Structure formats: structure tokens, C-alpha cells
Amino acid sequence: MVEIKTDAAMDAMREAGRVVAHALAAAQKAAGIGVPLRELDEAAREVLADAGAGSPFLGYRPSFAPVPFPAVVCTSVNDAVAHGIPTDYRLRDGDLVSIDCGALLDGWAGDAAISFIVGTPRPADLELIDATRRALDAGIAAALVGNRLGDISHAIDTVAREASCGMPADFGGHGIGRRMHEDPHLPNRGRPGRGLPLRHGLVLAIEPMLMAGGRNTYRTDTDGWTLRTTDGTRAAHMEHTVALTTTGPRILTLP
């Protein structure tokens, strides 16, 4: 069932989203050559704790997962598309890192993701990150009252196709509110003018995941969580929690 939020609920979700933005900024600031991924998770945990917020990631176990997720952020490096578990892996010069983070504050959730380069960037990686950012921006721009869910999907897909990037077929955005994952599922591919009508009070996590090799296939790593490109090419992931209003989309996960 799709839940439509009140204006007061959207304001409360804005506060949860602000915590997410600060946690992502702290994790990115902690990232550097030689830094283990666990330290990025620790930096985000401190922000959540200081804000009195919980983590919807920690202990989360969807049907596909063999074990509960053990961290408050996903850290996906290079060919990892999403869901990477923070480990003792030490970041290297030129690594492409995607961090996904959520927060629960006063009963409401926020969810966002960023991608960036550690150290010296490869031009191709910068292009991939830029394309992912443009896909997210296009999806947000299409999140207008009176449009349909497919308009968001189509906007994301158009940017990805123009950049010759693939996207994992089974993953996309989602509704969000009291829980991190709510109805509706938001595919990153779709036909314009199709799907759920967009209404004031609908809140969506919009999250393109672009794979540089152009394929849509992925594999699950031995940890049961990390999604990787099948051809070993790099991936980027960006996400915002967005509230739909009669005055336009409202991004809830800004600082």
C-alpha cells in the first residue's frame, strides 16, 4: 500500500534526511588512501549517535540476504554496484567509492547515496559519476505532481542510455516513510505516462546505479550482499529522498 504523507510528516522526514546528509559527509571526509572501509562506517555511526538517530541498515535482512547487514553504511568500491559491506579493505589511490546511508529519527526514515573518487581520479570515472548525478537530477526533475511513476523511470533511463551505461535490472528506488523501504517500487527503467499517478505527499527514494560497461547484468559476491558488475567495470550510485509537492520536488536529504 502506498502511504501519502502529510506536510508535517514531510517536515519530520526532512530532519531525518539532514542527519543522513551529515553522516554521508562524515564518511566521505574519513575516506582517504590507506583508510579501511570500517572507519567510514564508524564516522557515520558517530553522526547518527550524536543526532539521536537509529540506522535502518544495521541488522536489516531482506529475503535475499544470508545474514543481517552488519553496518550503518554500504561501502561499494570500484566494480561494486551497491550493498558493499564495510571491511578492513584499505582504500587505494583512484578507488571509486559509493556510500549509501540511512537514518531513523523520531519514527521517520531518510536514505541517500553518494559516489566519489579517493586520490587521483580517472577521467572515465569522473564521467561515470557525472552521468549518475545527471540521471538522479533528471529523475528528481520528473517527480512532479500530475506525472506518473514511469516518467521518473524514463528520465533516469534516458540519461543512462545516452551515457552508454548499464543499470542492474532488478534494483531501483522505492517509497520511504516510517520504514526505509515502502511501496511503490521505482524501477530505473520505464515508459513515460505509465504507472502510479504522482500526488502531493508521496515520498520516494530515487537512486540510479550506473555501470560503465553498458551491461545490465550483475552478480552477488560471496558475502551474500555486495552486487558487482559481471564484466568488472566500475559502477556509481547516487540517491536522494524526495518529497513530491504541489510546488515541485523537495529534496529531503540535503545538509
Side-chain angles (χ1 to χ4, degrees), residues 135 138 152-164 167 188 190:
I152 300 175
S153 304
H154 179 70
I156 292 170
D157 187 30
T158 297
V159 175
R161 289 181 182 275
E162 289 174 350
S164 299
M167 291 189 291
N188 282 332

Side-chain angles (χ1 to χ4, degrees), residues 38-237:
R38 291 189 192 279
E39 289 193 14
L40 280 59
D41 182 65
E42 291 168 4
R45 284 178 189 249
E46 288 184 11
V47 172
L48 296 181
D50 288 346
S55 169
F57 287 23
L58 185 63
Y60 180 59
R61 188 179 182 183
S63 58
F64 67 80
V67 295
F69 196 77
V72 304
V73 295
C74 300
T75 53
S76 305
V77 181
N78 296 333
D79 67 331
V81 184
H83 302 165
I85 296 175
T87 64
D88 291 327
Y89 172 83
R90 293 183 179 272
L91 291 167
R92 301 171 183 173
D93 187 36
D95 277 348
L96 194 167
V97 182
S98 296
I99 304 177
D100 193 356
C101 182
L104 291 169
L105 183 68
D106 296 329
W108 295 100
D111 188 10
I114 57 174
S115 290
F116 58 90
I117 306 296
V118 174
T120 308
R122 303 179 184 182
D125 289 343
L126 293 178
E127 292 174 5
L128 176 62
I129 290 174
D130 179 66
T132 308
R133 182 180 294 109
R134 288 188 286 108
L136 175 59
D137 290 345
I140 294 171
L144 299 173
V145 172
N147 276 357
R148 290 181 176 266
L149 206 65
D151 293 308
I152 300 175
S153 304
H154 179 70
I156 292 170
D157 187 30
T158 297
V159 175
R161 289 181 182 275
E162 289 174 350
S164 299
C165 291
M167 291 189 291
D170 302 331
F171 289 87
H174 50 88
I176 183 171
R178 291 288 184 180
R179 294 175 291 111
M180 179 172 61
H181 290 139
E182 295 184 351
D183 291 333
H185 172 63
L186 174 57
N188 282 332
R189 286 190 171 84
R191 297 177 63 183
R194 300 294 182 90
L196 181 76
L198 304 182
R199 297 172 51 192
H200 178 93
L202 179 64
V203 183
L204 299 169
I206 302 175
E207 52 176 325
M209 308 166 192
L210 270 61
M211 302 186 292
R215 297 182 182 179
N216 302 324
T217 54
Y218 62 90
R219 64 179 178 85
T220 303
D221 211 341
T222 54
D223 62 17
W225 274 98
T226 307
L227 308 182
R228 295 190 182 276
T229 61
T230 54
D231 57 7
T233 57
R234 295 191 169 194
H237 177 198

